[in-house]
Structure formats: C-alpha cells, structure tokens
Amino acid sequence: MHSNQSGPSVQVIRNRAIKAIANSTEGHVPQLDDATPVIGLIDLDQIETAYQRLSSVFVGQSEILHAVACKAVPLQPLLRFYAEAGAGCEVASPGELELALAAGFTPETIVFDSPAKTMTELKRAVSLGVSMNIDNFEELERLDAIFDGQATSAQASDSVVTSARVGVRINPQSGTGTIGALSTATQTSKFGIGLADPGAREALIEAYLARPWLTQIHVHSGSQGIGLDQAAAGIDVVVELAKEVNARAAQVHGRERQITRIDIGGGLPVNFAGEDITPTFAEYRAVLEEQVPDLFDFDIITEFGRALLAKAGTILTHVEYAKTTGGRHIAMTHAGVQVATRTAYAPADWPLRVLPFTPDGNPKSAEAVPTDVAGPACFAGDLLARERMLPRLDAGDIVAVPDTGAYYFSNPFSYNLLPRVPVFGYRVGASTGDADVHSHLGERDSDGGSEQGVEFSLIRRGQSLAEVLAQSGETRLQPLITEVPKAGENGAKRQGALAPN
C-alpha cells in the first residue's frame, strides 16, 4: 500500500538527482551550467505511482477511462507512457489532438473538449472517431450539419456517430472556488451550457431526445481551489440530469438508457505547501460514493492532470548573483516567468516552495533571511518567491522548485525570448524495476547512465538560439502579392521576389 506522501524516499531520490547534476562531469547526467542554467526534472517513479493509485481506487463494475489532460503535460514520452498503460487523453486544441495521436492514443481513448472547435476541427474529430464534448447549442447544430452531410439515411447517420461518442458539457453553476480564474462552474463561466439558466434544462433534454447519438454528458466542476464537496455537488447535478434524460428517452422513444457515460472532468487540488499528497484519489472516490452514489451506475471518464503530475516535477536552476536592495536579500536565478508563469503573475494563487542547495548539491543550512527569489525576465514581478524566509542564498547555490510537474516547464512562456528549457526524467536504477514495463519512461539503455543511484533520460531537448530566432518571423517584410504563406511554411525562397527594394 502506498503512502499518501511524496515521502522521505521520494525526497531522498530527488536530492540524489540534484546532487548528481550538481557534480555532473559526464554526458549521461544533465548539467546545470552557463549553457543550460535552468532545467526541468520529472520523477518517473512518481508518475507511475500516481497513475497506479488513480487506477486502483476507481475499480468497479463500470467502464472507466482515465483521460490524462494533455495541457498539463504536452511531453510525448510521458504521454506515451499513459497510452501504453491503458489511459486516455483529454485534448483541447488541434495541436493537442495530433500530439495525442502521435503518442499512441487510439481515437476511441481521446476526448476532445475545446470550447471553440472550428468546423474543420469537428470534421476531423468525427472522421477519427474521437469522443467529443460539445460546448453549446450552436456547436451542436454544426455537428448536426456534419452528420447530415455524411449520412444518406437515418440508419447510416446512427452508424456514423456511433464511433464518435458525443456528449454536451454542462455548467452546473455550483459556485466559485478560491482561484477565480480556474473556477469553471460559476454563474457566468465561459464553459458549457448553464443548467440553471432560464429554459436551459428543458432545452438540453430536448436536444438529447432529438439526437439518440448523444450518449454521454460532461461536467468539470473541480479545479485547484475547489473543495471535494463542491466538486461533487457539481457532478451530482449532472448525474440527476442524465437520469432525467434517460427516463424521458425511455418514456417518449422507448430507448433503454440513452446516456451511458459521464465525464466528470478532473481538477483534484494539489498540496503546494508541503510533501503530503492531499487530497488523495481515494478520498475523492469516497466523497463521490457518499454524495453521488448513482454516478457509479454509469461508465465514467476522468480528466486529471495536475493531480497526476505536479508532485513529480522540479525546476532546477542556480543563483547567478545575490544582492541586497532596500534591506531585502535578492537571489537572481534563471528560472522565472518562462517556467512559472502563473506564479509570476498570480503569486497569491500559485505559491511555490523553494528548496536551497549548496553548489555541490547538498541541502543548504544557513541563517534564514527574508529573500526574493527572482527570475531573469525584464519586469519586476518575475519572482518565484517574495520575502520568503530562506537560508541565505549566495551566487553558485542551487535552487530547486518542487511540485512543478504539471503546467510549469512543460508549457513555456517565451517572454524576452527566453528559450524553452530541457526536461529530463530520473528514477532509481533499472535493477530495482521492470525494464519491460518502464522502457518507454527512460530506463537505462545503451546511452543511459546512472549517478548517485539515479538514472536520467531525455524527455525534451532545450531550445537552441537558432530555434528561438526562427520563431521571430520573416527576415524581411513580405508583401502578399500572390498568396498568404501557410503556417510553418518557409518564406525564404520567395524573399527576393517579394521583399521591397
């Protein structure tokens, strides 16, 4: 049975990885140096453990699809692990959809949730047969047009949509959490159809009755800053709606159980204040069983991201300079808004822990002083921590920022053209695990290596300066004489003809 902590063993392994990097002189261990002053680290054992915990607590008679939120981890090697483990993938853009396919998810395990799907995107999703959650009535009409255009008979229409399981996203309007920007079930949320709006409930029921291929329903009422009871209340509202649709469908059309699957979204909060994993998936399951027991009469989709990944990640950088200004100690590092965007812009909502280490990778002990841990970007708010009591940081010290495995370095922000940081996985030696099961997560191979009992593998390369420059646009203005270049098209061949004299 797993502990509900990242636990001493996880901290020990993280510290070993940091020490190995601090003393790295070999190519198979990442180096933290002038060329690479900030890196992302992922504890691969933590990734596997978290998914195992989720899978074990949602076992039941119903069919369960755990669709990992791609937006939390758009890193192909990690997504491939989830695909091979039998998970699904929740996507919200064309790029995420294609990444999910490239990572090995089959179409029937992909859930497409964008609230602004274009007609082209809808057609692509239908042709693939991915699951879709429709955001609004107008989008539902677009889908009607697609199915009408593809089908030559009512029977053919049913067969077209059977492979693409479709539902509607409901906003239960169950309230705001402590982080307004992440609260998806407010009275005026941009997501879904507000169930409490005048006439909305009956319109939704009629929409389902008119479309027998609407066989699932979606709600996402949880998120960081939302309690388990509040999330469960939102789910309960949608379960009751599903039961009402099914009763009406049986009464009016003689259909047996039209809605068979409920997508409850994700949003389990993460503890950013310490090592404890709280709340747990088991605690969430218990709340759902108590407050929404009828949920488990349906097949279920979950869409967890942060709860699966946050605790596995660490940002690692070094202190370039240390100074005191206005009586405040300031440690200038290379990790800031480009890897911790939410923390820089909304520090009260997204505080992060800071773990100081000496240059040789040992946890640092020194007099604690109020410290700002600053990033490299050119605005005053680019801070990882403000007035934090920390052992006095000096130039050359290493700063580790844990709990950043979801949404942080995996979603870079290119302010000041700061490059995308490299991401490495680490784990205990391969001799302690099953190489066949874990090979896709970077167990030792001919190029792998081990230091301090920890093995490292490459998840994503850092961005070169040439790649940064390639994102800055054309080398000269290009008058649109013939046609607009497509996204990603190299305009260099036409420069001579199109550029002004």
Side-chain angles (χ1 to χ4, degrees), residues 70 74-84 89 91 93-107 109-110 124 128 130 440:
C70 184
L75 299 169
Q76 190 167 161
L78 299 185
L79 290 175
R80 186 169 296 279
F81 156 70
Y82 289 117
E84 294 181 4
C89 190
V91 302
S93 72
E96 290 185 353
L97 174 58
E98 297 307 318
L99 176 57
L101 292 168
F105 292 97
T106 56
T109 65
I110 296 173
R124 170 73 168 151
L128 288 169
V130 304
H440 50 277

PDB file of all heavy atoms in Angstrom, residues 70 74-84 89 91 93-107 109-110 124 128 130 440:
ATOM      1  N   CYS A  70      -3.939  16.588 -21.553  1.00  0.00           N
ATOM      2  CA  CYS A  70      -2.744  16.864 -22.353  1.00  0.00           C
ATOM      3  C   CYS A  70      -2.150  18.224 -22.004  1.00  0.00           C
ATOM      4  O   CYS A  70      -0.926  18.394 -22.002  1.00  0.00           O
ATOM      5  CB  CYS A  70      -3.088  16.785 -23.832  1.00  0.00           C
ATOM      6  SG  CYS A  70      -1.684  17.000 -24.948  1.00  0.00           S
ATOM      7  N   PRO A  74       2.190  18.320 -22.130  1.00  0.00           N
ATOM      8  CA  PRO A  74       2.368  18.118 -23.569  1.00  0.00           C
ATOM      9  C   PRO A  74       3.786  17.650 -23.901  1.00  0.00           C
ATOM     10  O   PRO A  74       4.516  18.287 -24.663  1.00  0.00           O
ATOM     11  CB  PRO A  74       2.068  19.504 -24.149  1.00  0.00           C
ATOM     12  CG  PRO A  74       2.456  20.449 -23.059  1.00  0.00           C
ATOM     13  CD  PRO A  74       2.136  19.747 -21.763  1.00  0.00           C
ATOM     14  N   LEU A  75       4.174  16.534 -23.307  1.00  0.00           N
ATOM     15  CA  LEU A  75       5.501  15.941 -23.476  1.00  0.00           C
ATOM     16  C   LEU A  75       5.305  14.511 -23.970  1.00  0.00           C
ATOM     17  O   LEU A  75       4.791  13.658 -23.240  1.00  0.00           O
ATOM     18  CB  LEU A  75       6.270  15.959 -22.154  1.00  0.00           C
ATOM     19  CG  LEU A  75       6.540  17.351 -21.563  1.00  0.00           C
ATOM     20  CD1 LEU A  75       7.054  17.250 -20.138  1.00  0.00           C
ATOM     21  CD2 LEU A  75       7.539  18.121 -22.439  1.00  0.00           C
ATOM     22  N   GLN A  76       5.711  14.248 -25.201  1.00  0.00           N
ATOM     23  CA  GLN A  76       5.344  12.995 -25.852  1.00  0.00           C
ATOM     24  C   GLN A  76       5.797  11.743 -25.101  1.00  0.00           C
ATOM     25  O   GLN A  76       5.021  10.781 -24.993  1.00  0.00           O
ATOM     26  CB  GLN A  76       5.860  12.978 -27.299  1.00  0.00           C
ATOM     27  CG  GLN A  76       5.323  11.826 -28.097  1.00  0.00           C
ATOM     28  CD  GLN A  76       5.551  11.945 -29.582  1.00  0.00           C
ATOM     29  OE1 GLN A  76       5.487  10.952 -30.296  1.00  0.00           O
ATOM     30  NE2 GLN A  76       5.816  13.142 -30.070  1.00  0.00           N
ATOM     31  N   PRO A  77       7.028  11.668 -24.564  1.00  0.00           N
ATOM     32  CA  PRO A  77       7.406  10.434 -23.866  1.00  0.00           C
ATOM     33  C   PRO A  77       6.515  10.119 -22.673  1.00  0.00           C
ATOM     34  O   PRO A  77       6.218   8.948 -22.411  1.00  0.00           O
ATOM     35  CB  PRO A  77       8.850  10.714 -23.427  1.00  0.00           C
ATOM     36  CG  PRO A  77       9.353  11.742 -24.391  1.00  0.00           C
ATOM     37  CD  PRO A  77       8.169  12.604 -24.677  1.00  0.00           C
ATOM     38  N   LEU A  78       6.074  11.153 -21.944  1.00  0.00           N
ATOM     39  CA  LEU A  78       5.207  10.902 -20.803  1.00  0.00           C
ATOM     40  C   LEU A  78       3.804  10.517 -21.262  1.00  0.00           C
ATOM     41  O   LEU A  78       3.168   9.620 -20.690  1.00  0.00           O
ATOM     42  CB  LEU A  78       5.160  12.126 -19.894  1.00  0.00           C
ATOM     43  CG  LEU A  78       6.499  12.555 -19.284  1.00  0.00           C
ATOM     44  CD1 LEU A  78       6.298  13.701 -18.295  1.00  0.00           C
ATOM     45  CD2 LEU A  78       7.199  11.387 -18.604  1.00  0.00           C
ATOM     46  N   LEU A  79       3.305  11.177 -22.285  1.00  0.00           N
ATOM     47  CA  LEU A  79       2.007  10.795 -22.821  1.00  0.00           C
ATOM     48  C   LEU A  79       2.038   9.360 -23.357  1.00  0.00           C
ATOM     49  O   LEU A  79       1.054   8.616 -23.214  1.00  0.00           O
ATOM     50  CB  LEU A  79       1.580  11.761 -23.925  1.00  0.00           C
ATOM     51  CG  LEU A  79       1.209  13.176 -23.467  1.00  0.00           C
ATOM     52  CD1 LEU A  79       0.924  14.062 -24.667  1.00  0.00           C
ATOM     53  CD2 LEU A  79       0.008  13.149 -22.529  1.00  0.00           C
ATOM     54  N   ARG A  80       3.147   8.963 -23.945  1.00  0.00           N
ATOM     55  CA  ARG A  80       3.260   7.592 -24.452  1.00  0.00           C
ATOM     56  C   ARG A  80       3.162   6.586 -23.310  1.00  0.00           C
ATOM     57  O   ARG A  80       2.570   5.512 -23.465  1.00  0.00           O
ATOM     58  CB  ARG A  80       4.556   7.419 -25.234  1.00  0.00           C
ATOM     59  CG  ARG A  80       4.684   6.060 -25.910  1.00  0.00           C
ATOM     60  CD  ARG A  80       5.851   6.037 -26.890  1.00  0.00           C
ATOM     61  NE  ARG A  80       5.634   6.970 -27.991  1.00  0.00           N
ATOM     62  CZ  ARG A  80       4.887   6.716 -29.060  1.00  0.00           C
ATOM     63  NH1 ARG A  80       4.269   5.547 -29.166  1.00  0.00           N
ATOM     64  NH2 ARG A  80       4.741   7.605 -30.007  1.00  0.00           N
ATOM     65  N   PHE A  81       3.754   6.918 -22.165  1.00  0.00           N
ATOM     66  CA  PHE A  81       3.613   6.035 -21.010  1.00  0.00           C
ATOM     67  C   PHE A  81       2.141   5.829 -20.669  1.00  0.00           C
ATOM     68  O   PHE A  81       1.672   4.701 -20.464  1.00  0.00           O
ATOM     69  CB  PHE A  81       4.341   6.597 -19.786  1.00  0.00           C
ATOM     70  CG  PHE A  81       3.785   6.082 -18.481  1.00  0.00           C
ATOM     71  CD1 PHE A  81       3.977   4.763 -18.111  1.00  0.00           C
ATOM     72  CD2 PHE A  81       3.031   6.910 -17.666  1.00  0.00           C
ATOM     73  CE1 PHE A  81       3.422   4.274 -16.926  1.00  0.00           C
ATOM     74  CE2 PHE A  81       2.480   6.438 -16.477  1.00  0.00           C
ATOM     75  CZ  PHE A  81       2.679   5.114 -16.116  1.00  0.00           C
ATOM     76  N   TYR A  82       1.383   6.932 -20.602  1.00  0.00           N
ATOM     77  CA  TYR A  82      -0.024   6.812 -20.254  1.00  0.00           C
ATOM     78  C   TYR A  82      -0.790   6.002 -21.296  1.00  0.00           C
ATOM     79  O   TYR A  82      -1.647   5.181 -20.949  1.00  0.00           O
ATOM     80  CB  TYR A  82      -0.648   8.197 -20.103  1.00  0.00           C
ATOM     81  CG  TYR A  82      -0.194   8.949 -18.875  1.00  0.00           C
ATOM     82  CD1 TYR A  82       0.515  10.142 -18.980  1.00  0.00           C
ATOM     83  CD2 TYR A  82      -0.480   8.468 -17.602  1.00  0.00           C
ATOM     84  CE1 TYR A  82       0.929  10.834 -17.850  1.00  0.00           C
ATOM     85  CE2 TYR A  82      -0.063   9.157 -16.466  1.00  0.00           C
ATOM     86  CZ  TYR A  82       0.642  10.340 -16.597  1.00  0.00           C
ATOM     87  OH  TYR A  82       1.059  11.016 -15.469  1.00  0.00           O
ATOM     88  N   ALA A  83      -0.473   6.211 -22.577  1.00  0.00           N
ATOM     89  CA  ALA A  83      -1.142   5.447 -23.630  1.00  0.00           C
ATOM     90  C   ALA A  83      -0.877   3.956 -23.465  1.00  0.00           C
ATOM     91  O   ALA A  83      -1.793   3.126 -23.576  1.00  0.00           O
ATOM     92  CB  ALA A  83      -0.676   5.929 -25.006  1.00  0.00           C
ATOM     93  N   GLU A  84       0.371   3.605 -23.193  1.00  0.00           N
ATOM     94  CA  GLU A  84       0.723   2.197 -23.059  1.00  0.00           C
ATOM     95  C   GLU A  84       0.194   1.606 -21.755  1.00  0.00           C
ATOM     96  O   GLU A  84       0.033   0.384 -21.643  1.00  0.00           O
ATOM     97  CB  GLU A  84       2.241   2.041 -23.158  1.00  0.00           C
ATOM     98  CG  GLU A  84       2.763   2.403 -24.542  1.00  0.00           C
ATOM     99  CD  GLU A  84       4.269   2.232 -24.680  1.00  0.00           C
ATOM    100  OE1 GLU A  84       4.902   1.757 -23.722  1.00  0.00           O
ATOM    101  OE2 GLU A  84       4.793   2.573 -25.754  1.00  0.00           O
ATOM    102  N   CYS A  89      -6.637  10.282 -23.274  1.00  0.00           N
ATOM    103  CA  CYS A  89      -6.030  11.607 -23.297  1.00  0.00           C
ATOM    104  C   CYS A  89      -7.101  12.641 -23.600  1.00  0.00           C
ATOM    105  O   CYS A  89      -7.835  12.522 -24.588  1.00  0.00           O
ATOM    106  CB  CYS A  89      -4.924  11.674 -24.347  1.00  0.00           C
ATOM    107  SG  CYS A  89      -3.911  13.168 -24.280  1.00  0.00           S
ATOM    108  N   VAL A  91      -7.936  16.325 -24.782  1.00  0.00           N
ATOM    109  CA  VAL A  91      -7.277  17.350 -25.589  1.00  0.00           C
ATOM    110  C   VAL A  91      -8.234  18.518 -25.799  1.00  0.00           C
ATOM    111  O   VAL A  91      -9.455  18.353 -25.757  1.00  0.00           O
ATOM    112  CB  VAL A  91      -6.808  16.783 -26.949  1.00  0.00           C
ATOM    113  CG1 VAL A  91      -5.870  15.608 -26.738  1.00  0.00           C
ATOM    114  CG2 VAL A  91      -7.994  16.365 -27.818  1.00  0.00           C
ATOM    115  N   SER A  93      -7.275  21.255 -28.281  1.00  0.00           N
ATOM    116  CA  SER A  93      -6.834  22.030 -29.430  1.00  0.00           C
ATOM    117  C   SER A  93      -6.393  21.059 -30.515  1.00  0.00           C
ATOM    118  O   SER A  93      -6.126  19.883 -30.240  1.00  0.00           O
ATOM    119  CB  SER A  93      -5.655  22.942 -29.059  1.00  0.00           C
ATOM    120  OG  SER A  93      -4.473  22.165 -28.855  1.00  0.00           O
ATOM    121  N   PRO A  94      -6.279  21.538 -31.765  1.00  0.00           N
ATOM    122  CA  PRO A  94      -5.777  20.651 -32.828  1.00  0.00           C
ATOM    123  C   PRO A  94      -4.372  20.134 -32.532  1.00  0.00           C
ATOM    124  O   PRO A  94      -4.063  18.962 -32.814  1.00  0.00           O
ATOM    125  CB  PRO A  94      -5.799  21.554 -34.070  1.00  0.00           C
ATOM    126  CG  PRO A  94      -6.788  22.605 -33.773  1.00  0.00           C
ATOM    127  CD  PRO A  94      -6.703  22.854 -32.302  1.00  0.00           C
ATOM    128  N   GLY A  95      -3.522  20.979 -31.966  1.00  0.00           N
ATOM    129  CA  GLY A  95      -2.172  20.536 -31.648  1.00  0.00           C
ATOM    130  C   GLY A  95      -2.168  19.423 -30.627  1.00  0.00           C
ATOM    131  O   GLY A  95      -1.426  18.433 -30.759  1.00  0.00           O
ATOM    132  N   GLU A  96      -2.984  19.567 -29.577  1.00  0.00           N
ATOM    133  CA  GLU A  96      -3.053  18.511 -28.575  1.00  0.00           C
ATOM    134  C   GLU A  96      -3.642  17.234 -29.146  1.00  0.00           C
ATOM    135  O   GLU A  96      -3.211  16.124 -28.788  1.00  0.00           O
ATOM    136  CB  GLU A  96      -3.888  18.989 -27.373  1.00  0.00           C
ATOM    137  CG  GLU A  96      -3.185  20.060 -26.545  1.00  0.00           C
ATOM    138  CD  GLU A  96      -3.955  20.451 -25.299  1.00  0.00           C
ATOM    139  OE1 GLU A  96      -5.107  19.981 -25.131  1.00  0.00           O
ATOM    140  OE2 GLU A  96      -3.410  21.218 -24.488  1.00  0.00           O
ATOM    141  N   LEU A  97      -4.609  17.351 -30.031  1.00  0.00           N
ATOM    142  CA  LEU A  97      -5.180  16.167 -30.666  1.00  0.00           C
ATOM    143  C   LEU A  97      -4.123  15.408 -31.457  1.00  0.00           C
ATOM    144  O   LEU A  97      -3.985  14.176 -31.332  1.00  0.00           O
ATOM    145  CB  LEU A  97      -6.343  16.569 -31.575  1.00  0.00           C
ATOM    146  CG  LEU A  97      -6.959  15.457 -32.430  1.00  0.00           C
ATOM    147  CD1 LEU A  97      -7.463  14.317 -31.563  1.00  0.00           C
ATOM    148  CD2 LEU A  97      -8.085  16.017 -33.299  1.00  0.00           C
ATOM    149  N   GLU A  98      -3.348  16.126 -32.252  1.00  0.00           N
ATOM    150  CA  GLU A  98      -2.323  15.451 -33.055  1.00  0.00           C
ATOM    151  C   GLU A  98      -1.213  14.885 -32.176  1.00  0.00           C
ATOM    152  O   GLU A  98      -0.654  13.818 -32.466  1.00  0.00           O
ATOM    153  CB  GLU A  98      -1.753  16.415 -34.094  1.00  0.00           C
ATOM    154  CG  GLU A  98      -2.774  16.912 -35.119  1.00  0.00           C
ATOM    155  CD  GLU A  98      -3.535  15.783 -35.804  1.00  0.00           C
ATOM    156  OE1 GLU A  98      -2.907  14.762 -36.170  1.00  0.00           O
ATOM    157  OE2 GLU A  98      -4.764  15.920 -35.981  1.00  0.00           O
ATOM    158  N   LEU A  99      -0.883  15.582 -31.087  1.00  0.00           N
ATOM    159  CA  LEU A  99       0.126  15.063 -30.168  1.00  0.00           C
ATOM    160  C   LEU A  99      -0.364  13.767 -29.526  1.00  0.00           C
ATOM    161  O   LEU A  99       0.410  12.810 -29.379  1.00  0.00           O
ATOM    162  CB  LEU A  99       0.444  16.100 -29.093  1.00  0.00           C
ATOM    163  CG  LEU A  99       1.421  15.658 -27.986  1.00  0.00           C
ATOM    164  CD1 LEU A  99       2.751  15.189 -28.569  1.00  0.00           C
ATOM    165  CD2 LEU A  99       1.641  16.789 -26.988  1.00  0.00           C
ATOM    166  N   ALA A 100      -1.625  13.723 -29.140  1.00  0.00           N
ATOM    167  CA  ALA A 100      -2.171  12.505 -28.533  1.00  0.00           C
ATOM    168  C   ALA A 100      -2.087  11.335 -29.501  1.00  0.00           C
ATOM    169  O   ALA A 100      -1.702  10.213 -29.120  1.00  0.00           O
ATOM    170  CB  ALA A 100      -3.617  12.740 -28.099  1.00  0.00           C
ATOM    171  N   LEU A 101      -2.422  11.570 -30.756  1.00  0.00           N
ATOM    172  CA  LEU A 101      -2.330  10.509 -31.758  1.00  0.00           C
ATOM    173  C   LEU A 101      -0.876  10.064 -31.946  1.00  0.00           C
ATOM    174  O   LEU A 101      -0.577   8.872 -32.004  1.00  0.00           O
ATOM    175  CB  LEU A 101      -2.916  10.986 -33.080  1.00  0.00           C
ATOM    176  CG  LEU A 101      -4.431  11.229 -33.092  1.00  0.00           C
ATOM    177  CD1 LEU A 101      -4.831  11.971 -34.362  1.00  0.00           C
ATOM    178  CD2 LEU A 101      -5.194   9.910 -32.984  1.00  0.00           C
ATOM    179  N   ALA A 102       0.039  11.045 -32.001  1.00  0.00           N
ATOM    180  CA  ALA A 102       1.459  10.714 -32.188  1.00  0.00           C
ATOM    181  C   ALA A 102       2.012   9.932 -30.999  1.00  0.00           C
ATOM    182  O   ALA A 102       2.912   9.097 -31.160  1.00  0.00           O
ATOM    183  CB  ALA A 102       2.267  11.997 -32.386  1.00  0.00           C
ATOM    184  N   ALA A 103       1.465  10.180 -29.807  1.00  0.00           N
ATOM    185  CA  ALA A 103       1.945   9.494 -28.602  1.00  0.00           C
ATOM    186  C   ALA A 103       1.374   8.089 -28.467  1.00  0.00           C
ATOM    187  O   ALA A 103       1.761   7.364 -27.547  1.00  0.00           O
ATOM    188  CB  ALA A 103       1.604  10.318 -27.361  1.00  0.00           C
ATOM    189  N   GLY A 104       0.458   7.715 -29.346  1.00  0.00           N
ATOM    190  CA  GLY A 104      -0.026   6.340 -29.349  1.00  0.00           C
ATOM    191  C   GLY A 104      -1.418   6.121 -28.808  1.00  0.00           C
ATOM    192  O   GLY A 104      -1.865   4.975 -28.698  1.00  0.00           O
ATOM    193  N   PHE A 105      -2.138   7.181 -28.465  1.00  0.00           N
ATOM    194  CA  PHE A 105      -3.518   7.009 -28.021  1.00  0.00           C
ATOM    195  C   PHE A 105      -4.395   6.656 -29.221  1.00  0.00           C
ATOM    196  O   PHE A 105      -4.299   7.291 -30.273  1.00  0.00           O
ATOM    197  CB  PHE A 105      -4.050   8.279 -27.364  1.00  0.00           C
ATOM    198  CG  PHE A 105      -3.392   8.622 -26.056  1.00  0.00           C
ATOM    199  CD1 PHE A 105      -2.360   9.544 -26.011  1.00  0.00           C
ATOM    200  CD2 PHE A 105      -3.785   8.009 -24.883  1.00  0.00           C
ATOM    201  CE1 PHE A 105      -1.739   9.863 -24.814  1.00  0.00           C
ATOM    202  CE2 PHE A 105      -3.175   8.312 -23.675  1.00  0.00           C
ATOM    203  CZ  PHE A 105      -2.144   9.241 -23.633  1.00  0.00           C
ATOM    204  N   THR A 106      -5.237   5.674 -29.070  1.00  0.00           N
ATOM    205  CA  THR A 106      -6.181   5.342 -30.129  1.00  0.00           C
ATOM    206  C   THR A 106      -7.340   6.336 -30.088  1.00  0.00           C
ATOM    207  O   THR A 106      -7.663   6.889 -29.023  1.00  0.00           O
ATOM    208  CB  THR A 106      -6.707   3.914 -29.951  1.00  0.00           C
ATOM    209  OG1 THR A 106      -7.278   3.782 -28.640  1.00  0.00           O
ATOM    210  CG2 THR A 106      -5.577   2.902 -30.111  1.00  0.00           C
ATOM    211  N   PRO A 107      -7.980   6.596 -31.228  1.00  0.00           N
ATOM    212  CA  PRO A 107      -9.034   7.620 -31.261  1.00  0.00           C
ATOM    213  C   PRO A 107     -10.118   7.427 -30.214  1.00  0.00           C
ATOM    214  O   PRO A 107     -10.588   8.400 -29.615  1.00  0.00           O
ATOM    215  CB  PRO A 107      -9.581   7.500 -32.684  1.00  0.00           C
ATOM    216  CG  PRO A 107      -8.410   7.033 -33.490  1.00  0.00           C
ATOM    217  CD  PRO A 107      -7.680   6.078 -32.586  1.00  0.00           C
ATOM    218  N   THR A 109      -9.917   6.477 -27.306  1.00  0.00           N
ATOM    219  CA  THR A 109      -9.479   6.839 -25.947  1.00  0.00           C
ATOM    220  C   THR A 109      -9.175   8.334 -25.829  1.00  0.00           C
ATOM    221  O   THR A 109      -8.705   8.781 -24.783  1.00  0.00           O
ATOM    222  CB  THR A 109      -8.231   6.046 -25.546  1.00  0.00           C
ATOM    223  OG1 THR A 109      -7.126   6.404 -26.390  1.00  0.00           O
ATOM    224  CG2 THR A 109      -8.479   4.549 -25.628  1.00  0.00           C
ATOM    225  N   ILE A 110      -9.437   9.102 -26.877  1.00  0.00           N
ATOM    226  CA  ILE A 110      -9.179  10.539 -26.875  1.00  0.00           C
ATOM    227  C   ILE A 110     -10.498  11.281 -26.658  1.00  0.00           C
ATOM    228  O   ILE A 110     -11.517  10.952 -27.263  1.00  0.00           O
ATOM    229  CB  ILE A 110      -8.516  10.991 -28.186  1.00  0.00           C
ATOM    230  CG1 ILE A 110      -7.127  10.344 -28.329  1.00  0.00           C
ATOM    231  CG2 ILE A 110      -8.388  12.501 -28.242  1.00  0.00           C
ATOM    232  CD1 ILE A 110      -6.456  10.601 -29.663  1.00  0.00           C
ATOM    233  N   ARG A 124     -12.658  16.728 -38.432  1.00  0.00           N
ATOM    234  CA  ARG A 124     -11.502  15.878 -38.141  1.00  0.00           C
ATOM    235  C   ARG A 124     -11.812  14.915 -36.993  1.00  0.00           C
ATOM    236  O   ARG A 124     -11.500  13.724 -37.058  1.00  0.00           O
ATOM    237  CB  ARG A 124     -10.304  16.761 -37.793  1.00  0.00           C
ATOM    238  CG  ARG A 124      -9.077  16.040 -37.245  1.00  0.00           C
ATOM    239  CD  ARG A 124      -8.351  15.269 -38.287  1.00  0.00           C
ATOM    240  NE  ARG A 124      -7.041  14.836 -37.808  1.00  0.00           N
ATOM    241  CZ  ARG A 124      -6.418  13.742 -38.227  1.00  0.00           C
ATOM    242  NH1 ARG A 124      -6.974  12.982 -39.148  1.00  0.00           N
ATOM    243  NH2 ARG A 124      -5.226  13.420 -37.745  1.00  0.00           N
ATOM    244  N   LEU A 128     -12.068  10.783 -37.229  1.00  0.00           N
ATOM    245  CA  LEU A 128     -11.217   9.920 -36.413  1.00  0.00           C
ATOM    246  C   LEU A 128     -12.028   9.007 -35.502  1.00  0.00           C
ATOM    247  O   LEU A 128     -11.592   7.904 -35.172  1.00  0.00           O
ATOM    248  CB  LEU A 128     -10.285  10.773 -35.548  1.00  0.00           C
ATOM    249  CG  LEU A 128      -9.134  11.494 -36.245  1.00  0.00           C
ATOM    250  CD1 LEU A 128      -8.485  12.489 -35.295  1.00  0.00           C
ATOM    251  CD2 LEU A 128      -8.096  10.486 -36.745  1.00  0.00           C
ATOM    252  N   VAL A 130     -13.054  10.190 -32.392  1.00  0.00           N
ATOM    253  CA  VAL A 130     -12.719  10.512 -31.007  1.00  0.00           C
ATOM    254  C   VAL A 130     -13.987  10.915 -30.263  1.00  0.00           C
ATOM    255  O   VAL A 130     -14.976  11.334 -30.859  1.00  0.00           O
ATOM    256  CB  VAL A 130     -11.671  11.648 -30.922  1.00  0.00           C
ATOM    257  CG1 VAL A 130     -10.425  11.297 -31.705  1.00  0.00           C
ATOM    258  CG2 VAL A 130     -12.254  12.973 -31.397  1.00  0.00           C
ATOM    259  N   HIS A 440       9.680   2.704 -21.898  1.00  0.00           N
ATOM    260  CA  HIS A 440       9.265   3.924 -22.565  1.00  0.00           C
ATOM    261  C   HIS A 440       9.400   5.144 -21.673  1.00  0.00           C
ATOM    262  O   HIS A 440       9.263   6.258 -22.139  1.00  0.00           O
ATOM    263  CB  HIS A 440       7.821   3.782 -23.049  1.00  0.00           C
ATOM    264  CG  HIS A 440       6.884   3.306 -21.997  1.00  0.00           C
ATOM    265  ND1 HIS A 440       6.752   1.979 -21.694  1.00  0.00           N
ATOM    266  CD2 HIS A 440       6.051   3.967 -21.172  1.00  0.00           C
ATOM    267  CE1 HIS A 440       5.858   1.839 -20.728  1.00  0.00           C
ATOM    268  NE2 HIS A 440       5.428   3.032 -20.388  1.00  0.00           N
TER     269      HIS A 440
END
